[in-house]
Amino acid sequence: MTDPAKGKSLVMRHDVDELAWNALKMAQLENKLGIRATYFFRIVKQSNVPEVIKQIVGLGHEIGYHYEDLALAEGDEVQAIGTFKENLEYFRKYYPVRSVCMHGSSTSKYDNRLLWKNHSLSDFGLVGEPYLSIDFDKVFYLTDTGYAWDGGKFATRDIVENKFGLKFHTTSQIVDCIKAGNFPAQALILAHTLWTDSLIQWNGLHLREFFRNNLKLLAKNNPIVERFYGKIVELYWKK
Ligand SMILES: [Zn+2]
């Protein structure tokens, strides 16, 4: 979204890590508000729900590919670039995908971005990868990674240094900052699709994310916890 008259622009990005139907609700709400966002889908079945993708495209939003090919291929670059190409073609059946962004794959030792060490985005007709194409000295990055606006310490790879000196805990603090005219003119907001209007699901997710964040922190310094957490994550995505 841009407002050239005021020199303002905002990229509204949603990573659909799981709970794809929640993404659809978010997309419907944004559509009503006149907001056009970008929804990044993973290839795993918790994210890749064709009916949801089709409806989100129908609401006028952009679709991107949330890739994790290097982690899924256990670091095998040839295999990873092969599946990346296949998966990109798959998502292009729904939308002419022009941008991709890496999934953090926090339990994998492979950083998905390393796929671009020997390949270039333009070879695939892509114009952007937020972690590589955006100058975060100029563009303010606000993310709900860790299930909070200030949950950055729980992130493993989704880390961008904040040079704007802004820190938010609640959404109303963000709104106040915008109203006061102090919000940066260029921003990228990443909101995952774990947000829900069901109180039961909201409480369940809150509890799960609380334990997950603390396990992730512990796993950073403890190899046994790291293996245990890795195993749980592996089982969860296989289910
Ligand atoms: Zn992700």
Side-chain angles (χ1 to χ4, degrees):
M1 283 176 293
T2 50
D3 183 352
K6 292 180 184 150
K8 290 184 176 177
S9 60
L10 171 75
V11 175
M12 192 71 190
R13 163 184 156 197
H14 301 296
D15 288 1
V16 187
D17 281 342
E18 54 180 319
L19 304 174
W21 290 96
N22 283 8
L24 179 59
K25 282 192 187 173
M26 209 178 233
Q28 286 162 338
L29 186 65
E30 284 171 333
N31 177 267
K32 268 190 210 145
L33 296 167
I35 296 169
R36 186 167 183 252
T38 309
Y39 284 81
F40 286 95
F41 285 89
R42 297 170 67 190
I43 199 68
V44 297
K45 61 180 180 298
Q46 289 90 339
S47 171
N48 173 14
V49 179
E51 190 49 37
V52 169
I53 302 174
K54 280 182 213 158
Q55 289 199 45
I56 291 181
V57 171
L59 289 163
H61 297 292
E62 183 187 349
I63 300 296
Y65 173 35
H66 197 33
Y67 66 97
E68 56 197 303
D69 300 89
L70 202 59
L72 291 177
E74 304 276 352
D76 183 329
E77 207 182 303
V78 176
Q79 188 188 328
I81 208 74
T83 59
F84 177 86
K85 193 167 174 274
E86 273 170 31
N87 296 338
L88 184 64
E89 275 163 18
Y90 164 76
F91 285 113
R92 280 181 170 157
K93 286 197 303 192
Y94 305 100
Y95 186 89
V97 175
R98 304 274 281 157
S99 55
V100 294
C101 77
M102 64 119 189
H103 173 62
S105 300
S106 62
T107 55
S108 169
K109 60 177 187 274
Y110 302 102
D111 185 326
N112 290 308
R113 276 169 295 196
L114 293 178
L115 201 58
W116 306 113
K117 215 171 63 179
N118 299 315
H119 298 89
S120 81
L121 292 166
S122 58
D123 293 346
F124 297 90
L126 295 164
V127 292
E129 201 308 355
Y131 294 102
L132 305 173
S133 320
I134 293 178
D135 180 355
F136 287 107
D137 285 347
K138 295 192 184 116
V139 179
F140 176 54
Y141 182 51
L142 183 61
T143 170
D144 68 347
T145 291
Y147 214 43
W149 293 119
D150 53 0
K153 68 172 185 279
F154 302 115
T156 309
R157 295 211 171 90
D158 178 27
I159 298 167
V160 168
E161 210 183 317
N162 176 1
K163 297 214 166 100
F164 292 83
L166 290 170
K167 203 170 173 217
F168 303 107
H169 182 62
T170 64
T171 303
S172 59
Q173 287 169 349
I174 302 169
V175 175
D176 289 345
C177 178
I178 295 169
K179 281 185 180 158
N182 296 327
F183 198 76
Q186 291 191 307
L188 165 64
I189 298 182
L190 162 59
H192 288 78
T193 53
L194 290 180
W195 305 103
T196 172
D197 53 1
S198 149
L199 203 60
I200 296 169
Q201 195 182 56
W202 188 84
N203 277 304
L205 284 168
H206 234 82
L207 212 63
R208 189 193 79 177
E209 291 304 297
F210 172 79
F211 284 113
R212 197 165 80 104
N213 281 339
N214 284 292
L215 258 178
K216 267 165 93 175
L217 271 191
L218 276 173
K220 275 185 187 176
N221 305 311
N222 186 324
I224 297 169
V225 178
E226 192 186 353
R227 269 205 301 278
F228 171 68
Y229 176 61
K231 203 77 215 162
I232 296 176
V233 172
E234 196 187 309
L235 288 172
Y236 179 80
W237 293 111
K238 264 194 190 147
K239 80 178 178 195

